[in-house]
Amino acid sequence: MPLMSLEKPPAQPGQVWAHVGQPFVGREYDLIVLGAGRMGAACALYLRRLAPRRSLLLIEEGGLPNEDGATLLSPGVWSALTVPPERRAEAQWTRAQLAGALAPDPSLNLSFQARPLLELAAAGGAGWEAVLDVLGRDPAPTLPAGLADLQALPWARLDAQAARYRPGALALACAQAAIGAGADLMLNARAHLDGGGVGIERLSVTNTHQIVVHETHRLRAGRVVVALGAAGPGTVEHDLGLHTTHARAYRQFPRLNHPSTEQTPTLRAAGLTLRPQHGGFTLVPAIHHRDPAGYEPGGGRLTGVPTGLRRETLEDLVAAMDALPALATGALELGRSLMDVPGAWFALPGGDPDGLPRHEEVAPGVHLLLGGPHADTLGLAVAYDLAATVAGTQQRPWAGRPG
Ligand code: ADP
């Protein structure tokens, strides 16, 4: 007779508490993951796969995906161009997960598309080619007319392996798959760290649209993963009295209504990434530095006229107008107030705008998981690495593979 304890438990779907009308009786969990952005949701899924015997609760303040989180607005551009060589194998593994290995069920559609990324520059160097050589290749990456001034940007690099996908759909697919594999999920619940456990405030909305705390619970947990995005470092600092080196920055994603098609490559030039989307482009400005504590996002002014874009982003766009003349046309949506321009807070792991996703055990049994600006390319591997660490396994599926 087989030993029951050596068998995998049957994958009973977990329970979901979406609103306060669904009664919740507090219980102890082996594992609690705070935050169901793509980092928390992916970690929850990998934990169910690597440690299926340990009970798991995933808690999210909003819905899935939350409109305020970094995940929904992240560009969803996978490219290994800026990944250091020692992390390339993880980036490749992340790409394979996105391309279908993670969620083979076709209903969990991440809109994954393999599309090249073309980087243009004013000055070349090792790895750069004359732009006309790159644009003359077969198949040629075709750029919409009038978008970029190729005289001002005579050098190019092509990432033929790059891809695009929807990070919000990734968070949803991971959470659904985690529930299918036995994770419990509580939505509309704000969490904080409380001694050796987690405090939860279940939220509801009054008929005057105020968010109020309906009830509170305190749960004990064997281990806690803090995947609260930009709020993660502040939460461990406040709740555990720790100091971290991490920071955050508010990033806006203005729209450029210059025509694009499904086939248009993702473009990087003059410090901006231009992600083809809905027949135009979503602009992804560089993050230059952390935002100071207490910074409140606010609109700037262009020649005295109020805009929804923050000052730093406006300056970047103005500086890029010679190289990207389309930015100087009415195709650029500047907005009139902050509400007009989509934006979100991003964690900056290590306080560095180029900080890669990472995790660390900030107190015994409390793991901080940070995605940040490079989560599109490396986030899943880092979420897996944390799940494997918690599960106590040494193996990593990308180890020994070429990057
Ligand atoms: P990441 O890319 O790291 O997943 P996100 O910002 O998308 O970053 O995800 C963080 C998630 O954590 C968001 O969905 C946000 O709503 C959620 N969150 C933030 N603070 C809390 C909290 N106190 N309790 C529960 N969820 C929270």
Side-chain angles (χ1 to χ4, degrees):
M1 244 181 78
L3 276 175
M4 291 304 286
S5 61
L6 293 179
E7 283 182 349
K8 265 194 164 183
Q12 288 277 352
Q15 237 183 308
V16 179
W17 294 270
H19 54 83
V20 294
Q22 294 163 298
F24 174 76
V25 182
R27 52 163 284 201
E28 194 165 327
Y29 281 90
D30 297 322
L31 307 167
I32 298 187
V33 179
L34 311 185
R38 49 144 143 214
M39 296 301 288
C43 189
L45 171 60
Y46 293 132
L47 280 167
R48 287 308 301 154
R49 291 186 178 165
L50 296 173
R53 294 201 161 273
R54 297 209 230 164
S55 58
L56 186 150
L57 174 66
L58 174 61
I59 303 175
E60 167 56 47
E61 180 169 6
L64 239 180
N66 187 357
E67 286 173 18
D68 294 332
T71 292
L72 198 62
L73 290 183
S74 289
V77 172
W78 184 97
S79 169
L81 269 189
T82 50
V83 174
E86 68 278 11
R87 305 295 297 270
R88 295 238 166 99
E90 281 170 79
Q92 289 297 344
W93 183 84
T94 296
R95 189 184 188 283
Q97 293 283 295
L98 296 167
L102 171 111
D105 175 353
S107 70
L108 304 176
N109 180 6
L110 313 186
S111 303
F112 181 89
Q113 298 175 309
R115 293 288 182 275
L117 181 142
L118 180 65
E119 193 171 0
L120 304 177
W128 293 87
E129 293 172 62
V131 68
L132 291 177
D133 292 348
V134 173
L135 293 176
R137 273 193 206 162
D138 183 26
T142 45
L143 281 184
L147 182 62
D149 177 356
L150 298 182
Q151 311 264 318
L153 299 165
W155 298 95
R157 292 201 289 181
L158 190 69
D159 181 354
Q161 267 210 319
R164 307 198 278 256
Y165 65 100
R166 291 197 300 136
L170 172 64
L172 187 63
C174 287
Q176 281 180 1
I179 295 161
D184 289 348
L185 169 69
M186 184 182 286
L187 297 173
N188 298 309
R190 192 190 295 138
H192 61 272
L193 298 164
D194 182 0
V198 171
I200 306 179
E201 297 173 325
R202 296 190 77 191
L203 308 172
S204 66
V205 183
T206 66
N207 45 18
T208 53
H209 301 288
Q210 273 182 309
I211 295 178
V212 292
V213 177
H214 179 83
E215 64 189 31
T216 60
H217 296 272
R218 194 175 172 283
L219 306 185
R220 289 184 58 77
R223 275 178 191 270
V224 181
V225 172
V226 180
L228 300 174
T235 298
V236 301
E237 292 194 5
H238 180 268
D239 296 355
L240 302 179
L242 295 170
H243 179 73
T244 78
T245 58
H246 311 299
R248 56 181 204 153
Y250 188 75
R251 187 185 231 181
Q252 292 181 301
F253 299 91
R255 168 105 185 139
L256 180 69
N257 292 316
H258 195 84
S260 75
T261 70
E262 290 265 296
Q263 303 311 320
T264 304
T266 304
L267 189 68
R268 220 172 252 169
L272 293 172
T273 300
L274 292 83
R275 194 242 204 251
Q277 209 158 25
H278 310 308
F281 291 89
T282 297
L283 301 183
V284 185
I287 298 176
H288 298 294
H289 49 69
R290 57 169 65 201
D291 281 326
Y295 168 76
E296 286 286 339
R301 281 176 175 270
L302 191 61
T303 59
V305 180
T307 70
L309 281 174
R310 62 183 288 185
R311 171 87 196 182
E312 295 81 354
T313 302
L314 266 178
E315 284 172 2
D316 283 355
L317 296 182
V318 170
M321 281 176 181
D322 284 344
L324 299 168
L327 296 177
T329 69
L332 177 63
E333 288 188 10
L334 297 170
R336 284 173 183 278
S337 79
L338 200 70
M339 302 300 288
D340 297 332
V341 185
W345 284 101
F346 280 69
L348 302 184
D352 178 357
D354 282 321
L356 301 178
R358 66 161 88 168
H359 66 81
E360 61 196 38
E361 190 167 1
V362 289
V366 180
H367 302 264
L368 179 63
L369 176 60
L370 296 173
H374 293 282
D376 283 345
T377 301
L378 280 167
L380 289 179
V382 174
Y384 184 99
D385 192 78
L386 175 52
T389 303
V390 169
T393 158
Q394 305 295 323
Q395 285 167 11
R396 299 295 181 269
W398 53 83
R401 302 239 183 113

